[in-house]
Amino acid sequence: MRVRDIKEILEAELLCGEELLDTEVLSACGSDLMSDVLAFVKEQSLLLTGLVNPQVVRTADMMDMRCIVFVRGKRPDEGTLALARDRGIAVMSTGLRMYSACGKLYAAGLASEV
Amino acid sequence: MDALKLHYDVDGEDFSAAGEASSNVKKVLRQLGFPQEAIRRTAICMYEGEINVVIHAGGGFADVTVEPERITIVLTDHGPGIPDVEKAMSEGWSTAPTKVRELGFGAGMGLPNMKRYSDEFRIDTTVGVGTTVTMTVNVTQGQ
């Protein structure tokens, strides 16, 4: 699944990372607790979260994730987006709640791990 | 290659900057061509450590020594120290304030995560004086 497919499935708005739309995403992780994201190292390339602060981008960066989706209509501030741009991470926002967003992606074939 | 030494000040006032040093180390290791697995383990250990130094100690220092076979991270602070290390090491135990939890940390996962991803892990702490955490990540080539 590509970043652009995720955008479509979640009816999300892309906030940065236009050039990453064709990046392949193999698995995903949904959490509001960054330490939990850090606790389970796998080849996950997508992070879904309802938490909005720069540490979300840093966590994704440490884990080599390429895409972040903010759920429940949350939008990060400009500083957070600038950090994501700098780290080469695509960011989008969807109005869906965490459960629905994860469910839709899972149903579309995106695994929780590779 | 001689050992490469990196030194960073970890600002205790600015939570949004926590992770800046870890990010830099990650970049350096990538440029040096270290295996991805070693880079990621180092980044996670150091990042959780940096967050701890900011949350609990009001800042400190990070010293990283890079050698071909191993990466050593030493985090030093002059914070309150850890009265009960065993308790601090158990998953879920945390003394972090609600504000930190709202930021996605402070769930009692930091030290356990650091131990999980390092090959050697040591805490030297004295209440009222400070804490030094030393972590070593062994580099296995070909990963």
Side-chain angles (χ1 to χ4, degrees), chain B residues 19-129:
Chain B
E20 207 42 74
S22 312
S23 195
N24 186 268
V25 167
K26 194 166 187 259
K27 207 177 279 176
V28 170
L29 294 177
R30 194 178 284 154
Q31 281 163 356
L32 290 171
F34 275 87
Q36 194 188 27
E37 191 253 349
I39 296 177
R40 197 181 295 165
R41 287 202 291 134
T42 304
I44 295 169
C45 285
M46 186 165 163
Y47 180 46
E48 286 279 17
E50 252 192 279
I51 295 277
N52 270 355
V53 167
V54 174
I55 293 175
H56 297 290
F61 309 101
D63 287 281
V64 181
T65 307
V66 181
E67 297 166 278
E69 320 76 41
R70 75 184 70 80
I71 298 148
T72 309
I73 306 154
V74 182
L75 292 148
T76 311
D77 69 60
H78 300 293
I82 305 169
D84 188 338
V85 174
E86 205 182 316
K87 218 175 202 177
M89 286 304 301
S90 54
E91 272 187 27
W93 168 261
S94 178
T95 57
T98 313
K99 187 173 154 272
V100 170
R101 291 171 195 247
E102 284 166 0
L103 292 165
F105 291 91
M109 299 287 289
L111 289 173
N113 273 355
M114 288 151 79
K115 185 162 195 247
R116 181 178 292 136
Y117 291 117
S118 56
D119 293 296
E120 284 169 50
F121 177 88
R122 206 180 77 212
I123 298 181
D124 297 296
T125 184
T126 308
V127 172
V129 179

Side-chain angles (χ1 to χ4, degrees), chain A residues 34 39 55 58 61 64 87, chain B residues 15 20 23 26 47 104 117:
Chain A
M34 294 303 108
Q55 298 308 335
R58 294 212 187 269
D61 183 32
D64 301 310
R87 300 302 140 98
Chain B
F15 184 79
E20 207 42 74
S23 195
K26 194 166 187 259
Y47 180 46
Y117 291 117

Side-chain angles (χ1 to χ4, degrees), chain A:
Chain A
M1 190 178 289
R2 296 162 305 167
V3 170
R4 79 168 65 243
D5 302 320
I6 289 161
K7 179 179 176 296
E8 206 161 291
I9 292 164
L10 300 181
E11 293 169 51
E13 182 191 345
L14 187 75
L15 304 177
C16 79
E18 190 87 26
E19 71 286 0
L20 295 163
L21 280 172
D22 287 317
T23 302
E24 209 47 56
V25 172
L26 299 172
S27 66
C29 164
S31 180
D32 285 353
L33 181 60
M34 294 303 108
S35 279
D36 261 353
V37 178
L38 293 165
F40 304 102
V41 179
K42 290 178 195 125
E43 293 299 324
Q44 288 154 333
S45 30
L46 168 67
L47 172 62
L48 296 106
T49 187
L51 187 74
V52 192
N53 66 53
Q55 298 308 335
V56 172
V57 177
R58 294 212 187 269
T59 300
D61 183 32
M62 299 303 159
M63 303 296 279
D64 301 310
M65 289 170 155
R66 294 277 63 94
C67 181
I68 299 169
V69 174
F70 290 104
V71 297
R72 305 192 286 275
K74 304 228 173 168
R75 301 173 77 95
D77 62 18
E78 193 40 51
T80 303
L81 277 180
L83 189 62
R85 266 186 221 109
D86 181 61
R87 300 302 140 98
I89 297 171
V91 174
M92 52 183 106
S93 174
T94 174
L96 295 171
R97 291 198 209 171
M98 179 73 98
Y99 183 75
S100 310
C102 293
K104 283 194 175 207
L105 292 176
Y106 197 89
L110 186 63
S112 57
E113 55 187 284
V114 182

